[in-house]
Amino acid sequence: MSGGGGCCGELYSCVFDYSTPRIALIKSRKVGLLNRVIQLVILAYVIGWVFVWEKGYQEFDTVISSVTSKVKGVAATNTSELGFRVWDVADYIIPPQEENAFFVMTNLILTPNQTQRQCPEVRVQTGRCVAYNETVKTCEVDAWCPVENDLTVPKPAFLGSAENFTVLIKNNIWYPKFNFSKRNILPNISTEYLKSCIYDRVNNPFCPIFRLGSLVEEAGESFQDMALLGGVMGIQISWNCDLDKKYTHCVPKYSFRRLDNRAFDHNVSPGYNFRFAKFFKDSSNVESRTLMKIYGIRFDVLVFGTAGKFDIIPTMINIGSGVALLGVVSK
């Protein structure tokens, strides 16, 4: 019976008794000062870093985005192969549409009137040799003839004037958690303004129309140098929005950089190029083609950002964490 009474007593004590920690008063200036300094550091961390800098009172969402682009510009060339020719958007934008990107042709190696037959190769090899020209013999091959000669890239760039082309970039963004959407053509931009504005970091920072040459220069590159062998440029659009502020405060910020490798000590396969052919049939039903080795600049539009809005749950969690830290120091 005494054993049973002891268990009941312990249970009663556990439920109804209340204990407090023993407090010891230490009369030491150094210990007291250290305690206050630690408390101030914790307060500065909670208020300054968690709430002011990291906005710990907000809930966050990442951006969902769509991008379309429209390039404008006309160029004229006069060469021995093509004569005088005018180039418009349908000629130098290949393909007409890409996802979050567009490609502008800047240089070209043209091999017209190719047919499938036997002909001499450009580079010297072993095997059956036939005359390539009056002084050089090369191997005979089955190919689209005459074969392409891409040993020399046109310099200056065939469409160096593409630096004066412009592109309109339309970007729509959505934060699903807050049901917030916006586009980079801001509400205060009129049709008349859009007809005449060109992006400028200082004077027109929200104009969505960009001159290609200026865009490359913003990244610290030379358009004419880049146009020779091509390359890849990044157009970065940042949407970092505080949705506790007015709708008009959520605006895009543009930045630019070159994305392809520019290591001068390992410059293997530089630039950006691909081959493209246009096929024809003559009156005798013989198929021929014009082969184009196209160099150009690919512009990738990269959209990123986060939005934050006040929410009581992260606010209380961070306040509780701060109070708990102060409680540990105070004990």
Side-chain angles (χ1 to χ4, degrees):
M1 296 294 292
S2 61
C7 290
C8 291
E10 289 182 5
L11 179 62
Y12 181 88
S13 176
C14 180
V15 173
F16 295 104
D17 289 356
Y18 173 75
S19 60
T20 60
R22 179 178 296 178
I23 298 176
L25 178 63
I26 302 174
K27 293 185 177 181
S28 170
R29 291 183 179 180
K30 291 183 178 179
V31 174
L33 180 61
L34 178 62
N35 181 58
R36 298 306 178 203
V37 168
I38 294 174
Q39 288 177 337
L40 286 174
V41 170
I42 292 174
L43 281 174
Y45 166 76
V46 173
I47 296 172
W49 176 260
V50 175
F51 282 99
V52 176
W53 184 259
E54 291 292 324
K55 293 182 171 59
Y57 54 89
Q58 290 184 332
E59 186 178 14
F60 295 95
D61 195 12
T62 54
V63 70
I64 295 176
S65 167
S66 69
V67 174
T68 59
S69 60
K70 182 186 293 184
V71 180
K72 288 186 177 181
V74 177
T77 59
N78 194 353
T79 64
S80 57
E81 292 179 330
L82 294 176
F84 180 80
R85 179 167 177 174
V86 175
W87 300 78
D88 63 13
V89 176
D91 297 312
Y92 58 75
I93 299 295
I94 307 169
Q97 284 292 324
E98 292 188 71
E99 184 178 355
N100 299 336
F102 60 95
F103 175 85
V104 179
M105 180 179 73
T106 57
N107 213 353
L108 173 67
I109 296 177
L110 194 69
T111 311
N113 302 321
Q114 286 186 319
T115 57
Q116 291 199 7
R117 52 191 171 87
Q118 291 182 333
C119 58
E121 176 62 279
V122 174
R123 295 172 176 85
V124 177
Q125 299 178 356
T126 60
R128 182 185 174 192
C129 290
V130 295
Y132 175 69
N133 56 34
E134 294 181 355
T135 59
V136 177
K137 287 187 176 182
T138 63
C139 290
E140 186 177 64
V141 293
D142 290 312
W144 284 94
C145 302
V147 294
E148 177 188 68
N149 184 352
D150 62 348
L151 298 178
T152 304
V153 178
K155 191 175 182 179
F158 185 74
L159 281 183
S161 59
E163 66 180 350
N164 295 315
F165 296 167
T166 59
V167 58
L168 167 64
I169 295 177
K170 293 188 284 187
N171 175 215
N172 294 273
I173 60 114
W174 179 44
Y175 290 104
K177 187 177 289 185
F178 309 121
N179 195 26
F180 179 91
S181 60
K182 200 167 186 178
R183 63 176 186 160
N184 66 329
I185 302 178
L186 302 178
N188 62 328
I189 293 180
S190 65
T191 302
E192 293 302 317
Y193 174 79
L194 207 60
K195 289 179 180 179
S196 59
C197 78
I198 297 291
Y199 171 86
D200 181 88
R201 186 182 296 274
V202 177
N203 300 316
N204 291 307
F206 302 121
C207 177
I209 299 176
F210 304 85
R211 177 179 173 271
L212 299 188
S214 301
L215 190 154
V216 174
E217 289 168 6
E218 283 274 350
E221 301 287 340
S222 166
F223 187 93
Q224 294 302 322
D225 290 345
M226 199 171 180
L228 288 176
L229 297 177
V232 182
M233 284 292 304
I235 302 173
Q236 301 173 109
I237 307 178
S238 172
W239 292 87
N240 290 316
C241 300
D242 186 348
L243 300 186
D244 291 326
K245 297 180 179 179
K246 291 183 179 180
Y247 178 85
T248 54
H249 288 189
C250 182
V251 294
K253 292 184 179 179
Y254 301 97
S255 59
F256 315 94
R257 60 167 298 174
R258 185 168 183 173
L259 300 179
D260 58 317
N261 184 24
R262 289 282 292 168
F264 293 102
D265 58 339
H266 187 68
N267 200 25
V268 177
S269 187
Y272 185 85
N273 68 79
F274 58 89
R275 287 173 174 83
F276 178 72
K278 292 184 177 181
F279 293 85
F280 312 92
K281 282 189 177 182
D282 60 18
S283 57
S284 303
N285 205 35
V286 175
E287 186 178 42
S288 63
R289 73 178 188 182
T290 296
L291 177 65
M292 295 175 285
K293 184 176 182 179
I294 296 173
Y295 299 84
I297 304 175
R298 176 187 168 95
F299 295 87
D300 289 337
V301 184
L302 312 171
V303 183
F304 56 92
T306 57
K309 193 173 184 179
F310 175 79
D311 189 270
I312 191 63
I313 294 176
T315 303
M316 295 307 298
I317 290 174
N318 285 307
I319 289 176
S321 299
V323 171
L325 287 173
L326 285 173
V328 170
V329 174
S330 299
K331 289 182 178 180

